Amino acid sequence: MGQNYKIIIEYDGTNYSGWQIQKNTRETIQQKLEDALTKINKQKVKVIGAGRTDAGVHAAGQTANFFLDVDIPAEKIPLALNSELPADIICKKAEKVSADFHSRYDARGKKYRYRILNSNFNSVFVRNFVYNVHKKLDVKLMQTAAKIFEGCHDFAAFCAAGSSVGSTVRHIYSLNLYAADNGEIWIDVIGNGFLYNMIRILAGTLIETGLKKRTLFELKNVLESCDRNNAGFTAPAQGLTLIEVFYD
Amino acid sequence: MGQNYKIIIEYDGTNYSGWQIQKNTRETIQQKLEDALTKINKQKVKVIGAGRTDAGVHAAGQTANFFLDVDIPAEKIPLALNSELPADIICKKAEKVSADFHSRYDARGKKYRYRILNSNFNSVFVRNFVYNVHKKLDVKLMQTAAKIFEGCHDFAAFCAAGSSVGSTVRHIYSLNLYAADNGEIWIDVIGNGFLYNMIRILAGTLIETGLKKRTLFELKNVLESCDRNNAGFTAPAQGLTLIEVFYD
């Protein structure tokens, strides 16, 4: 079975069809990692990711694990891997872990950030990593609204229609909004797990609140309705970044 | 002659052969602006830029001016222009100016920033806008070194070989180094004008100082020698951004 390695990776998802390997494209993060690792290992390597980020979604701290037949010191893995990977995927750290470590099953929680650029004009420097909202957002209102979603709730209203997942109950440990000087607004979400498109629908709903298209009172009803039709739009993938995956 | 307009533009220079229109490529910033403005004006427009940034160099506040035959309110120019420009060039601001305003001749100074990412690994989020130096730089030493170049000096040693410019005396009003939490080091230079590749050679020389390949004592001699061979390497274009152009 070989040695199990855990890695932390950063990627710019702009030019990828998401994390997961797909039939019709080789342009997935998982595929690029498996290609690079198979070269290093000289035998096929399967990579397990903590979370399947969608097309266009980025990661600053995605976590993955894989088994190698060759025994390589953990500290050599990032350099070896980065020399085979395209420039928009970077391995930051690697460590040897026990054979039973599984990056997805063992994950205790994840932190995502949704970046909004609230500005008349986009910025060429961050345009691939933010969603540019032109009209002025009421950040204070959004900060109050965010608190409604903290805690353990049935988030069925914030799950992409048509996805079947069993229970739609999830625990959001914290949902915080930060406004930076440069016009960026960050929506930071930490939770035990997320439904399909959940953070992007939460972001879209909070943006509609910040534009005063929705009242705080309404938001509680949206959550309780468990009906996707009542929540806001799905904010674009490019604004979303997986920041960190938590383990025991 | 029409109305003279002054604009502020931001661009990601990664995919361009620099500011200036060239015979063998249409991929220049000036060309893209002229194409967009000619569409709006329905007659050929010539764009004058404050500074001719090199291939791969970026701008947060490049300034340009041009004459339009059609009379458009200044506040409509950015939107009209941005709808014709590619996503990596953005007009942020426009104003009507008197016919004798010339963005290059009237410029009193410019501010450039050279961004270094001093980190074992590059970052996918800023990789096109920084120069990644892996080995640890001595920022304090670089800060002291930077002060040697402030003031009015003959910068012949910091001018790309083969360029003819007349006088090589330039006035650097300030040269400051800032270290940010995320591993970025910014070299901010304000001056009345710069020789060809001057800031990139200054950045390369300061980097060599930060790597302890050069002493502070040596740097004074390099400046006084007026010999390009004595200065450091030309740091890559991608780390350089034109921040602002100053006018009276």
Side-chain angles (χ1 to χ4, degrees):
Chain A
M1 201 159 178
Q3 173 64 48
N4 195 5
Y5 291 87
K6 175 188 173 190
I7 56 167
I8 310 286
I9 36 179
E10 184 181 280
Y11 48 83
D12 171 354
T14 308
N15 297 316
Y16 293 97
S17 306
W19 168 267
Q20 199 172 14
I21 287 182
Q22 291 167 35
K23 283 251 160 68
N24 303 318
T25 175
R26 292 190 70 80
E27 299 307 306
T28 68
I29 313 292
Q30 193 187 17
Q31 183 75 67
K32 296 293 173 194
L33 280 167
E34 292 196 359
D35 289 351
L37 285 163
T38 298
K39 261 197 179 177
I40 293 165
N41 192 49
K42 312 230 160 55
Q43 286 193 59
K44 176 95 185 98
V45 178
K46 195 173 170 289
V47 174
I48 299 154
R52 296 177 188 134
T53 53
D54 285 339
V57 172
H58 320 287
Q62 168 75 291
T63 307
N65 74 292
F66 51 82
F67 289 86
L68 293 189
D69 302 289
V70 293
D71 187 31
I72 302 177
E75 65 273 19
K76 301 249 176 186
I77 295 280
L79 275 175
L81 204 43
N82 291 335
S83 71
E84 300 291 344
L85 286 169
D88 49 10
I89 307 176
I90 296 174
C91 174
K92 297 268 178 182
K93 208 180 152 189
E95 59 180 308
K96 290 185 175 181
V97 285
S98 63
D100 61 352
F101 174 81
H102 189 286
S103 61
R104 190 161 70 251
Y105 300 152
D106 290 349
R108 290 289 162 264
K110 293 194 192 93
K111 178 179 178 176
Y112 279 91
R113 176 169 296 157
Y114 197 89
R115 288 170 68 179
I116 298 161
L117 181 66
N118 194 202
S119 169
N120 281 337
F121 303 109
N122 212 332
S123 153
V124 299
F125 303 107
V126 295
R127 71 186 190 284
N128 290 330
F129 310 113
V130 299
Y131 170 49
N132 183 204
V133 176
H134 301 284
K135 285 194 188 153
K136 187 80 187 150
L137 291 166
D138 185 330
V139 178
K140 283 214 170 132
L141 199 61
M142 291 169 78
Q143 282 169 328
T144 309
K147 294 300 157 191
I148 294 169
F149 303 107
E150 285 190 344
C152 204
H153 302 284
D154 184 335
F155 284 98
F158 296 87
C159 180
S163 58
S164 66
V165 287
S167 169
T168 46
V169 173
R170 292 292 183 277
H171 196 158
I172 292 188
Y173 302 134
S174 73
L175 209 178
N176 289 307
L177 259 96
Y178 304 94
D181 292 341
N182 59 2
E184 275 197 44
I185 297 166
W186 291 354
I187 304 176
D188 280 8
V189 194
I190 301 176
N192 65 343
F194 300 97
L195 304 169
Y196 188 54
N197 279 356
M198 178 170 155
I199 299 173
R200 290 167 57 192
I201 301 170
L202 278 169
T205 307
L206 287 171
I207 289 166
E208 291 176 4
T209 307
L211 293 170
K212 312 245 171 97
K213 290 182 184 171
R214 288 175 181 275
T215 63
L216 292 176
F217 175 76
E218 199 186 327
L219 291 185
K220 288 191 190 197
N221 293 337
V222 169
L223 183 61
E224 282 163 16
S225 76
C226 291
D227 180 352
R228 170 68 188 95
N229 294 313
N230 293 329
F233 78 115
T234 307
Q238 71 197 62
L240 188 61
T241 304
L242 170 56
I243 301 291
E244 195 178 346
V245 184
F246 302 104
Y247 296 91
D248 283 334
Chain B
M1 201 159 177
Q3 172 65 48
N4 195 4
Y5 291 87
K6 174 187 174 192
I7 57 168
I8 310 286
I9 38 180
E10 183 180 282
Y11 48 84
D12 171 355
T14 308
N15 297 316
Y16 293 96
S17 305
W19 168 267
Q20 201 172 11
I21 286 183
Q22 291 167 35
K23 282 250 160 66
N24 303 317
T25 175
R26 292 191 70 81
E27 299 307 307
T28 67
I29 314 292
Q30 193 186 16
Q31 182 76 66
K32 295 293 173 193
L33 280 168
E34 292 196 358
D35 288 351
L37 285 163
T38 298
K39 260 197 180 178
I40 292 166
N41 192 48
K42 312 226 158 57
Q43 285 192 61
K44 176 95 183 100
V45 178
K46 197 173 171 288
V47 174
I48 299 154
R52 295 177 188 135
T53 53
D54 284 340
V57 172
H58 320 287
Q62 168 74 289
T63 306
N65 74 292
F66 51 83
F67 289 85
L68 293 188
D69 302 289
V70 291
D71 186 32
I72 302 178
E75 66 272 19
K76 301 249 176 186
I77 295 280
L79 275 175
L81 204 41
N82 292 336
S83 71
E84 301 290 344
L85 286 169
D88 49 11
I89 307 176
I90 296 174
C91 173
K92 297 268 181 185
K93 208 180 151 188
E95 57 180 309
K96 289 185 176 183
V97 285
S98 62
D100 63 350
F101 174 80
H102 189 286
S103 61
R104 190 161 72 251
Y105 300 152
D106 291 348
R108 289 289 162 264
K110 292 193 193 93
K111 177 178 180 178
Y112 279 91
R113 175 168 296 157
Y114 196 89
R115 288 170 67 179
I116 298 162
L117 181 66
N118 193 204
S119 169
N120 281 336
F121 303 108
N122 213 332
S123 154
V124 299
F125 302 108
V126 295
R127 70 186 191 284
N128 290 330
F129 310 113
V130 299
Y131 170 49
N132 183 203
V133 176
H134 301 285
K135 285 192 187 154
K136 187 80 187 152
L137 291 166
D138 185 332
V139 178
K140 282 215 170 129
L141 199 61
M142 291 170 78
Q143 281 169 329
T144 309
K147 294 299 155 191
I148 294 170
F149 304 106
E150 284 189 345
C152 203
H153 302 284
D154 184 336
F155 284 98
F158 296 88
C159 180
S163 57
S164 67
V165 287
S167 168
T168 46
V169 173
R170 292 292 183 279
H171 195 158
I172 292 188
Y173 302 133
S174 73
L175 209 177
N176 289 307
L177 258 96
Y178 304 94
D181 292 341
N182 60 1
E184 276 196 44
I185 298 166
W186 291 353
I187 305 176
D188 280 8
V189 194
I190 300 176
N192 65 342
F194 301 97
L195 303 169
Y196 189 53
N197 279 357
M198 177 170 157
I199 299 173
R200 291 167 54 191
I201 300 170
L202 278 169
T205 307
L206 288 171
I207 289 166
E208 290 175 4
T209 308
L211 292 170
K212 312 245 171 95
K213 291 182 183 171
R214 289 175 180 275
T215 63
L216 291 177
F217 177 75
E218 200 186 327
L219 290 186
K220 287 191 191 197
N221 292 338
V222 169
L223 183 62
E224 283 163 16
S225 76
C226 290
D227 181 352
R228 170 68 188 95
N229 294 313
N230 294 330
F233 78 113
T234 306
Q238 71 197 61
L240 188 61
T241 303
L242 169 57
I243 302 291
E244 196 178 344
V245 184
F246 302 105
Y247 295 91
D248 284 336

